[in-house]
Amino acid sequence: RESHYDTLSMYLKSNCPTIDHLNIKGIWFQDKSKSTFIDALRRMPRLEVIYLSFSSNYSFTISLFDLFQHLSVPQIANGAMLETISRKCAHLKTIDLSGSNELCETEILLLANLRATLQLVNLHHIQEKNISSMGVAKLINALPNLVSLGSYLK
């Protein structure tokens, strides 16, 4: 019997080639549904914005995001994910890292690798123990196209 995740991933693969925004927070594709979901993403050439929930086994999806311009990973971003994003998302304009308190300053500064495109970084509710005021200044200096930095330091 198919799970509802299998049904959803097959529907996305067959019926949604023109989608440009996709919110799948809280959906955990596994096994067959995961591979079908990857195929579905490959069939969405207009997809620019995706909202995901990540677990350690979701790092595989980042490799598909080289054309994405907007990425929202609030409260779930970690160092490994940010390292991959900073290498693979060459066209990224906006990123929402709000509440991702597993990140450290060094990992956040990896966003400097996206200096050619990154315009908006949301660091809301990332605590000062995770990134200092000097770290925020370094990030601002490293991103010449930055027009908006959302931050909240406790």
Side-chain angles (χ1 to χ4, degrees):
R1 180 177 171 184
E2 286 183 355
S3 74
H4 59 282
Y5 294 120
D6 292 331
T7 304
L8 176 60
S9 62
M10 285 187 287
Y11 183 84
L12 288 170
K13 180 178 177 181
S14 301
N15 298 297
C16 300
T18 60
I19 229 167
D20 59 6
H21 285 67
L22 181 62
N23 184 340
I24 56 166
K25 286 182 183 177
I27 296 175
W28 302 95
F29 294 113
Q30 296 181 19
D31 305 321
K32 179 184 171 201
S33 66
K34 182 168 41 172
S35 62
T36 304
F37 175 66
I38 292 171
D39 289 341
L41 287 177
R42 288 186 177 124
R43 294 172 187 229
M44 297 177 185
R46 296 175 58 190
L47 188 61
E48 290 183 1
V49 180
I50 189 166
Y51 299 94
L52 294 171
S53 294
F54 278 86
S55 67
S56 58
N57 69 348
Y58 263 67
S59 60
F60 73 92
T61 57
I62 292 291
S63 64
L64 301 172
F65 297 167
D66 60 328
L67 297 178
F68 283 9
Q69 296 180 21
H70 312 279
L71 187 60
S72 177
V73 287
Q75 302 172 353
I76 54 174
N78 61 33
M81 181 190 303
L82 207 53
E83 193 275 327
T84 304
I85 290 168
S86 73
R87 284 185 300 107
K88 298 284 187 176
C89 297
H91 301 283
L92 199 63
K93 291 181 181 179
T94 69
I95 188 164
D96 180 1
L97 302 171
S98 59
S100 297
N101 284 309
E102 289 185 32
L103 294 171
C104 70
E105 187 168 308
T106 306
E107 294 161 343
I108 294 169
L109 290 174
L110 290 171
L111 294 174
N113 294 337
L114 302 171
R115 69 180 50 84
T117 59
L118 202 55
Q119 298 174 3
L120 182 146
V121 177
N122 185 353
L123 298 175
H124 281 283
H125 300 291
I126 292 182
Q127 299 175 6
E128 192 168 14
K129 68 179 183 166
N130 300 83
I131 185 166
S132 67
S133 298
M134 184 58 76
V136 172
K138 287 179 187 177
L139 184 63
I140 291 168
N141 285 330
L143 298 173
N145 296 310
L146 191 68
V147 295
S148 179
L149 176 67
S151 65
Y152 173 72
L153 301 176
K154 289 185 181 180

